[in-house]
Amino acid sequence: EAGVAQSPRYKIIEKRQSVAFWCNPISGHATLYWYQQILGQGPKLLIQFQNNGVVDDSQLPKDRFSAERLKGVDSTLKIQPAKLEDSAVYLCASSLDRVSDTQYFGPGTRLTVL
Amino acid sequence: LAKTTQPISMDSYEGQEVNITCSHNNIATNDYITWYQQFPSQGPRFIIQGYKTKVTNEVASLFIPADRKSSTLSLPRVSLSDTAVYYCLVGDIMNYGGSQGNLIFGKGTKLSVKP
């Protein structure tokens, strides 16, 4: 079974630039999560999708972050414009359905904002 | 949401049994306990999940006392490759997510296994 795929793996941009991350979840998984993990901290949930609808985006900085999940499968997370404090690893995870189902994480995208 | 408290770090030696305890004093009736493991430069990986008493799988055991206010992850005979950060999470088994139901990762316990 293929795992969660993410791209790119690494990205370096200057502040005020835009960046987009892509995630392809495990086939058949209804729930998709985007997390932000700052060095030395645990992952922080940014947004959760159930199929193509948003379940929770309470911690997403909506003035600069946006996310969509096209047709309930792939998802993109965008930052526009980026700030220095956005430097982090962005993790995508998927699970079958409920939050109690095992979350499978992708390798993450390491973003460096200069 | 039930908050969890774990030690920031632990040291061990190869071949020893390691027990990492997580405190969750405000755990609710429908809450279950899940542990994830994270290696450097990788996403977290599910280890084990339980509701009460003891759960065992091929990699770990999870001990949950009757009052469920804490849980202990037990790793038998650790090796160098078990060096990682271990996260304890508490969440509602019936919930589909949302701002009141999602699992929250704390800072985790950094386990260092020495030869």
Side-chain angles (χ1 to χ4, degrees):
Chain A
E1 176 181 86
V4 176
Q6 290 187 248
S7 68
R9 290 296 312 276
Y10 305 91
K11 190 73 177 179
I12 301 174
I13 61 173
E14 295 188 350
K15 60 182 179 183
R16 292 189 288 274
Q17 285 187 321
S18 301
V19 65
F21 312 126
W22 173 82
C23 173
N24 179 237
I26 292 174
S27 177
H29 281 193
T31 307
L32 185 147
Y33 309 80
W34 281 102
Y35 290 87
Q36 178 193 59
Q37 186 170 26
I38 293 172
L39 187 65
Q41 299 183 19
K44 170 189 165 185
L45 180 69
L46 293 176
I47 189 167
Q48 177 195 349
F49 292 95
Q50 188 80 8
N51 295 307
N52 59 352
V54 175
V55 175
D56 181 7
D57 62 357
S58 57
Q59 299 205 81
L60 187 74
K62 298 181 187 63
D63 58 334
R64 298 184 301 107
F65 286 64
S66 64
E68 62 180 0
R69 189 177 184 194
L70 303 174
K71 300 179 181 178
V73 182
D74 293 4
S75 177
T76 55
L77 177 69
K78 298 180 182 178
I79 308 175
Q80 180 180 6
K83 293 185 175 181
L84 296 177
E85 58 262 35
D86 298 332
S87 293
V89 175
Y90 291 85
L91 295 162
C92 178
S94 69
S95 66
L96 269 174
D97 193 13
R98 294 177 298 184
V99 290
S100 59
D101 297 324
T102 299
Q103 294 189 34
Y104 295 87
F105 284 80
T109 297
R110 181 176 297 277
L111 174 67
T112 301
V113 182
L114 302 175
Chain B
L1 290 172
K3 185 177 177 180
T4 60
T5 304
Q6 303 175 234
I8 296 295
S9 64
M10 293 182 68
D11 292 331
S12 182
Y13 291 94
E14 281 192 293
Q16 288 186 332
E17 178 185 72
V18 171
N19 296 308
I20 305 174
T21 297
C22 178
S23 172
H24 27 80
N25 290 317
N26 297 322
I27 192 167
T29 303
N30 285 340
D31 285 344
Y32 59 97
I33 300 147
T34 309
W35 286 79
Y36 280 81
Q37 173 192 57
Q38 186 175 27
F39 297 114
S41 301
Q42 294 185 25
R45 185 181 72 165
F46 173 87
I47 301 176
I48 198 165
Q49 182 182 89
Y51 182 78
K52 61 180 179 180
T53 62
K54 176 184 175 182
V55 179
T56 298
N57 62 22
E58 62 276 10
V59 297
S61 294
L62 178 60
F63 298 91
I64 306 168
D67 66 5
R68 305 202 322 122
K69 293 183 183 297
S70 67
S71 59
T72 300
L73 174 71
S74 180
L75 304 172
R77 297 179 299 281
V78 294
S79 64
L80 297 175
S81 62
D82 292 316
T83 294
V85 178
Y86 293 82
Y87 295 99
C88 165
L89 295 86
V90 173
D92 189 338
I93 198 167
M94 298 302 295
N95 206 297
Y96 285 83
S99 58
Q100 296 302 312
N102 266 315
L103 298 179
I104 297 176
F105 285 83
K107 290 189 176 182
T109 298
K110 185 174 183 179
L111 173 65
S112 297
V113 180
K114 303 173 184 177

